[in-house]
Amino acid sequence: MTLIVTGAAGWFGRAFLDLLAQGDPQDVRVVVHHPADVPRVSAAVPWAAIHVADLTQPGAVADVFAGVRECEVVHAAGVIHPRSVAQFERVNADATRNVVQQALAAGVRRFVHISSNSAIGTNPGPEDVFRDEEPYNPYLGYGRSKMLGELAVTQVLSEAGIPGVILRPPWFYGRFQPDRQARFLRTVRSGRFPLVGDGSNRRSMVDVDSLAQAAALALRADTHGVRRYWIADAHPYAMTDILAAVQQAARLEGLSARAGHLRLPALAGMVARRVDAALQRRGRYQQEIHVAGELDLTIACSVEGAVRDLGFEPASDLVEGMRRSYRWALQHGQDV
């Protein structure tokens, strides 16, 4: 049985490879997008075969699966903050269809797809929580592309009778964080992070190591058909509590943290969302505006289904999790 992992150099991918490295060597093929990622991935799982591939190209995907007779797949490759809106669909939808179709031809026995909360959108109010079988209501271009990716996985696997699991994580934190998350930690610590509205909106978050564990559980779970699960911490957090946890974690790690935040009215979030939508209609994407438009929205979910069916154990101590984030960043030279 060959295990194929796409998006291996990403935030989740690195956490998942680290988990694999703690077990016995196995037949693993990992896929990265850039040659520069090869040394880092090779150091994590030296026994793995590494492929540099553009998964939007069917021929490149066929090369990844060449010679495979039976496989399991963890598909995590995707784009969150692209150069242009057109990349969303090419990478998150078209490439996903390429991978699941080729996996089927290569004898896939189980397929785990890392999706996103954005396929379902935002909650109608701060007290609402999403369950596993919510209707699609994608949030702008990214959400639509992740929805299309989910639909591709569901269609191909369901028609073939192959079991699959779609995991929907919200906002990540934890080890292997990219520079954008380090910037978030740094801005909160300095007291300059914008708190839009009164901060009562709630956000689910997930420790990336918990998400990696959930993917491993999904590979082994006795589920049938194509199932969808939210993967997050045990409960959502109010935005004010998230910022307080980041500041407390910084202090516990010996860093200074300035009390307070840059307060902005809820109108600022509404304006950012309208500008973001207008830019995306024109094919343009601007990361800061997109993120600002989400800051006063509630994106909260329940993980009851994953706990029940997968044996998932959600994290519950955000301060400790953020301490690990700071610790990892300082050990690896990130500016936090």
Side-chain angles (χ1 to χ4, degrees):
M1 179 75 72
T2 301
L3 173 62
I4 295 174
V5 182
T6 73
W11 194 349
F12 161 82
R14 294 179 66 189
F16 188 73
L17 293 187
D18 189 65
L19 184 63
L20 286 183
Q22 297 172 31
D24 294 330
Q26 56 184 297
D27 184 8
V28 179
R29 297 186 185 187
V30 299
V31 183
V32 298
H33 188 64
H34 297 290
D37 294 323
V38 171
R40 182 169 56 193
V41 171
S42 178
V45 280
W47 63 84
I50 303 172
H51 293 259
V52 180
D54 178 354
L55 299 179
T56 66
Q57 303 300 315
V61 181
D63 289 342
V64 171
F65 285 85
V68 174
R69 295 178 178 270
E70 191 175 43
C71 65
E72 297 173 328
V73 177
V74 176
H75 176 54
V79 63
I80 300 174
H81 300 298
R83 295 188 180 91
S84 69
V85 171
Q87 284 185 286
F88 279 137
E89 193 160 329
R90 284 201 303 270
V91 177
N92 297 336
D94 296 346
T96 296
R97 180 171 289 277
N98 290 340
V99 170
V100 71
Q101 287 178 334
Q102 192 62 53
L104 185 63
V108 67
R109 294 293 175 260
R110 196 163 185 86
F111 193 100
V112 177
H113 175 50
I114 309 300
S115 186
S116 165
N117 63 269
S118 292
I120 306 302
T122 62
N123 301 78
E127 299 307 314
D128 183 63
V129 292
F130 287 136
R131 307 290 176 173
D132 292 328
E133 295 303 323
E134 296 286 339
Y136 287 113
N137 184 29
Y139 185 71
L140 296 175
Y142 176 67
R144 182 176 184 277
S145 70
K146 296 302 283 189
M147 175 191 74
L148 292 174
E150 288 194 16
L151 291 173
V153 169
T154 301
Q155 178 187 6
V156 172
L157 296 181
S158 296
E159 290 177 354
I162 302 297
V165 175
I166 294 171
L167 302 181
R168 291 174 178 154
W171 186 356
F172 290 15
Y173 66 92
R175 299 187 306 153
F176 310 109
Q177 64 196 6
D179 289 341
R180 67 176 184 273
Q181 183 72 0
R183 184 166 63 250
F184 164 72
L185 297 178
R186 183 173 67 249
T187 306
V188 174
R189 189 170 68 84
S190 68
R192 294 183 287 109
F193 187 83
L195 181 65
V196 180
D198 63 6
S200 63
N201 62 301
R202 298 192 303 160
R203 298 292 295 265
S204 285
M205 302 188 74
V206 62
D207 187 318
V208 72
D209 284 314
S210 293
L211 179 57
Q213 289 281 357
L217 291 168
L219 283 174
R220 302 289 170 254
D222 186 21
T223 59
H224 303 279
V226 179
R227 303 295 300 272
R228 299 163 184 82
Y229 298 101
W230 292 97
I231 302 296
D233 287 3
H235 57 83
Y237 310 99
M239 195 67 189
T240 49
D241 292 338
I242 292 173
L243 302 184
V246 172
Q247 292 186 335
Q248 183 180 351
R251 295 188 187 101
L252 290 171
E253 290 301 310
L255 300 169
S256 62
R258 181 179 177 182
H261 317 288
L262 176 63
R263 291 189 171 271
L264 297 176
L267 178 63
M270 184 182 301
V271 170
R273 286 190 290 277
R274 289 181 176 177
V275 172
D276 186 18
L279 288 173
Q280 292 202 31
R281 283 194 296 270
R282 291 165 174 79
R284 297 170 59 192
Y285 180 84
Q286 214 288 327
Q287 178 178 336
E288 287 74 16
I289 292 175
H290 179 77
V291 171
E294 294 183 318
L295 290 180
D296 64 331
L297 299 176
T298 290
I299 305 173
C301 63
S302 167
V303 297
E304 291 178 359
V307 171
R308 179 192 64 238
D309 296 347
L310 305 181
F312 174 59
E313 297 182 6
S316 59
D317 189 339
L318 185 59
V319 172
E320 181 56 35
M322 289 298 176
R323 288 188 71 178
R324 290 195 298 273
S325 294
Y326 273 115
R327 203 174 303 142
W328 187 88
L330 293 171
Q331 290 170 351
H332 292 83
Q334 276 190 332
D335 180 11
V336 291

